[in-house]
Amino acid sequence: MKPADYILLEPISETDREAVWEGVAARLKARKQRRSRGFYALVGGGVLAAAAALTIIVGGRPTEVGTGAVVEARNEAVTVRLSDGSKASVEPLSQLNVLTATPTELRVALPSGSATFEVAHRPERQFAVVAGDIEVQVRGTHFTVRVEPPHGKGERAGHVEVSVERGVVDVVDRLSGERIARLTAGARWSGNALQTKPAAARVQLGEAGGALEEGRQLSRSRGPNEARPEPRSDAKVLFEKATAIRRQGDTRRAMQLYGELLSRYPNDEHSRVAALELGRLRLREGDQPHAAARALEQAVKTDPNSPLQPDALAQLVAAYEQSGDLVQCRRVRARYLSAFPNGAHSAEVRRRCP
Amino acid sequence: MVAKVLRLVSPVRSAPDEATSVELVKRAQQGDQAAQALLFRRHFSGTRALIFRLVPYDGELEDLVQDTFVHAMESIGSLRTPEAFSGWLRGIAVRVVRNRLRRRGLARRLGLAGTEESQLDIAVSREAPPDVGAELIATYRAFRALKVDSRIILELSRVEGLTNAEVAEALALSLSTVKRHLASAEVEFKDELNRQARGR
């Protein structure tokens, strides 16, 4: 026997093993779909063609969509069927992204616009709609989520509204995991997806009690004298959340959170690692080399003396090579080889953009 | 009665498993997802155990295993010799672990990672001969202080018992480079053992 055979390892159940395979299969499927979309975008040429390839045009029976699908409704509503039999009606000028569609989890994101969901009752499956910092979790129900564009102007930018027609949903703060409200049929919740929910408002909501009962309406709009909530200061929480989600295999969502961290806390120390992680993930996904380069440029600029610098530069060389920008690729390659001639990546970097 | 039922059921349920690894690799290369799943199940335990021995303190074991199989299934088309699947998969697992250790080393220097290194102890089976068990524990304690590449090459050689040629395949290096790195890692390792002995 070799020494390795004497090292004990906690066994894993077949169920857990299959869960790992599900994660592998989901990631492979998502990458395949993204590559396929990338191909059609190239064939079509230009942004319009790409948008057409990503838009799901539905006539008659709703089209079934899976992980990685982007449903964009322009002039008229689009209804799609999710892999578990649930339906989503996406209103005009709205977009719905399917983040995860597995037998145990269905997670969609609504960056802006409005969508109504008819969720099939499946106790074994988690169903969640992500709207900014808000997550609507549900078991089986009919409800609508409306999101104002996060980059719009005015008080309603990033505003989220959830109304329930049937069943029960939980409105959850995605970063803390804390439940903000439980809504039953007829109830409505509204708040801002871009800002931290003030504790006072949550208490008020909790004390409302009866407002959670069927048929009642409730609203969490800010009062005229209520202080504007402070931006969340805990970049670490966001970083850890993104990392945990990346580990679960939901690369798309992890990338969203790393991106959010970079835009909200550009000077925080976690942003250095987040920029590198975001660039690395975009590069690994294979269809976003330009976006990867942008994130990696940010990682390189944030702190030139950082120990992360060799990794960031090496990844940046790869990103520029993958994007076809050989001028930038050679520029960054020269910079890497000048600064780290015997670095861990020097052999790999030398081979790039010849 | 139970045995009878098992005999009746077993051939039907295990039929897909009877395919050889070479057949499965060929089918997987053509995009057969069932073959990919079977390959995963067949190689899951071995890959998981290898990754665990490379990073026994890691709380992300299943994450690393998943990364390994995603990379493997995505690039399986590039595997020219289906018979070499096991060694090829081991090479991918080693690269995944090495990248993770490097990133973690950087994060630690930035104060963004925990102190997992302190948990770099392993549990050794009672069946292990006393000298082997003691050497394994001392080896892993010394690993804490070594560079990532030194740790990996020593683990593959000393713990996994791979030949230099197999280590070269796993690390995608030439045989002469492996010999050179191994010699350098052995010096580093012995220095660390001596340092620990003096500290006692």
Side-chain angles (χ1 to χ4, degrees):
Chain A
M1 285 176 79
K2 57 184 189 284
D5 296 329
Y6 295 114
I7 296 176
L8 297 174
L9 167 62
E10 192 178 334
I12 187 169
S13 69
E14 280 194 17
T15 310
D16 288 342
R17 184 195 68 191
E18 290 307 301
V20 176
W21 172 247
E22 270 188 15
V24 172
R27 283 171 61 183
L28 290 170
K29 190 177 171 188
R31 288 177 185 211
K32 198 173 173 184
Q33 285 175 338
R34 278 194 289 278
R35 276 199 298 272
S36 171
R37 285 202 305 272
F39 171 76
Y40 285 118
L42 279 174
V43 169
V47 176
L48 283 175
L54 293 173
T55 303
I56 292 163
I57 301 166
V58 182
R61 193 163 182 267
T63 298
E64 182 169 325
V65 292
T67 302
V70 177
V71 184
E72 185 184 332
R74 293 182 193 165
N75 299 324
E76 53 189 59
V78 169
T79 301
V80 290
R81 190 157 45 88
L82 302 168
S83 56
D84 69 336
S86 302
K87 285 180 189 170
S89 296
V90 186
E91 298 299 317
L93 302 175
S94 304
Q95 183 181 316
L96 184 77
N97 304 335
V98 182
L99 304 177
T100 313
T102 68
T104 54
E105 186 183 19
L106 222 158
R107 182 181 292 277
V108 298
L110 189 68
S112 67
S114 176
T116 299
F117 300 88
E118 180 81 50
V119 180
H121 182 70
R122 291 183 190 274
E124 77 283 3
R125 180 265 293 119
Q126 291 183 339
F127 189 105
V129 181
V130 175
D133 281 353
I134 303 302
E135 184 166 307
V136 183
Q137 296 178 348
V138 60
R139 293 288 177 188
T141 190
H142 186 109
F143 66 101
T144 300
V145 180
R146 190 182 305 279
V147 187
E148 295 293 332
H151 304 300
K153 291 179 181 174
E155 278 283 295
R156 293 187 64 79
H159 193 83
V160 179
E161 190 175 292
V162 183
S163 51
V164 179
E165 193 173 307
R166 289 197 307 272
V168 180
V169 305
D170 286 340
V171 180
V172 176
D173 183 328
R174 285 173 59 212
L175 297 183
S176 66
E178 187 181 349
R179 189 173 77 197
I180 300 167
R182 168 160 286 180
L183 308 180
T184 55
R188 181 170 60 86
W189 179 91
S190 62
N192 198 309
L194 298 178
Q195 291 161 352
T196 308
K197 279 60 66 183
R202 282 202 292 271
V203 172
Q204 190 182 357
L205 192 67
E207 286 172 356
L212 304 180
E213 291 170 12
E214 191 162 322
R216 299 282 297 274
Q217 287 201 336
L218 58 90
S219 174
R220 206 199 66 60
S221 301
R222 195 167 55 246
N225 298 323
E226 190 178 335
R228 192 176 185 83
E230 289 297 316
R232 184 177 295 278
S233 60
D234 197 353
K236 187 181 175 192
V237 172
L238 190 50
F239 180 80
E240 286 173 352
K241 177 94 175 170
T243 304
I245 286 167
R246 178 181 58 74
R247 287 172 191 159
Q248 288 164 12
D250 193 345
T251 308
R252 282 274 156 180
R253 192 162 165 234
M255 289 195 292
Q256 284 172 355
L257 290 177
Y258 283 130
E260 191 178 327
L261 170 59
L262 287 177
S263 62
R264 288 170 68 177
Y265 309 105
N267 299 320
D268 189 277
E269 63 173 350
H270 293 83
S271 286
R272 298 171 196 163
V273 186
L276 180 57
E277 281 293 319
L278 181 60
R280 192 179 61 79
L281 290 174
R282 283 174 173 168
L283 195 56
R284 201 176 74 178
E285 291 302 296
D287 59 350
Q288 305 184 36
H290 294 283
R294 281 198 301 277
L296 291 164
E297 283 283 10
Q298 192 170 344
V300 166
K301 281 177 192 163
T302 306
D303 180 4
N305 299 317
S306 161
L308 292 171
Q309 195 71 345
D311 262 22
L313 283 171
Q315 295 272 332
L316 188 53
V317 173
Y320 278 131
E321 185 185 60
Q322 206 166 311
S323 69
D325 191 341
L326 295 184
V327 174
Q328 291 295 337
C329 180
R330 287 170 187 147
R331 175 184 66 80
V332 183
R333 184 184 65 175
R335 185 174 165 189
Y336 177 95
L337 293 174
S338 164
F340 312 103
N342 299 311
H345 307 288
S346 56
E348 176 197 339
V349 167
R350 275 195 187 92
R351 284 197 298 271
R352 295 201 181 275
C353 42
Chain B
M1 184 62 185
V2 171
K4 194 174 180 182
V5 171
L6 283 177
R7 275 201 302 278
L8 283 172
V9 170
S10 183
V12 177
R13 295 188 62 186
S14 64
D17 279 318
E18 287 168 5
T20 65
S21 282
V22 172
E23 287 168 353
L24 287 177
V25 170
K26 285 178 180 170
R27 280 167 49 197
Q29 286 179 320
Q30 289 161 0
D32 184 336
Q33 291 179 359
Q36 291 179 356
L38 283 173
L39 273 177
F40 167 83
R41 288 179 194 124
R42 199 170 278 187
H43 292 271
F44 174 80
S45 296
T47 305
R48 181 172 176 263
L50 169 67
I51 293 174
F52 174 78
R53 291 191 292 266
L54 286 165
V55 274
Y57 55 87
D58 202 300
E60 303 162 9
L61 177 58
E62 266 58 70
D63 185 17
L64 292 167
V65 174
Q66 193 182 82
D67 279 354
T68 299
F69 279 98
V70 168
H71 286 300
M73 294 309 169
E74 271 203 326
S75 53
I76 196 165
S78 67
L79 177 61
R80 291 183 181 175
T81 318
E83 293 81 0
F85 179 78
S86 296
W88 177 78
L89 182 64
R90 180 168 56 209
I92 292 175
V94 170
R95 281 195 292 281
V96 165
V97 168
R98 188 166 55 177
N99 289 340
R100 175 63 57 90
L101 287 172
R102 280 181 175 161
R103 281 205 306 278
R104 178 170 297 152
L106 292 168
R108 191 176 296 111
R109 274 179 265 167
L110 286 172
L112 297 174
T115 54
E116 302 93 334
E117 294 290 306
S118 63
Q119 299 164 25
L120 194 55
D121 282 332
I122 41 142
V124 176
S125 165
R126 288 179 186 172
E127 293 169 13
D131 57 328
V132 174
E135 190 179 335
L136 271 173
I137 288 171
T139 299
Y140 273 86
R141 284 191 180 146
F143 278 179
R144 289 177 194 169
L146 303 190
K147 292 175 198 158
V148 168
D149 284 345
S150 300
R151 183 198 298 183
I152 287 176
I153 201 167
L154 284 176
E155 202 282 336
L156 293 175
S157 174
R158 283 178 158 263
V159 182
E160 299 300 321
L162 300 188
T163 63
N164 286 354
E166 288 169 328
V167 174
E169 185 196 6
L171 297 175
L173 295 173
S174 70
L175 191 56
S176 58
T177 306
V178 164
K179 286 177 183 171
R180 205 172 60 246
H181 286 192
L182 202 49
S184 162
E186 287 285 0
V187 170
E188 197 184 340
F189 177 66
K190 280 172 187 161
D191 285 349
E192 179 56 26
L193 285 179
N194 289 334
R195 195 188 64 76
Q196 288 187 5
R198 284 197 301 273
R200 277 185 199 138

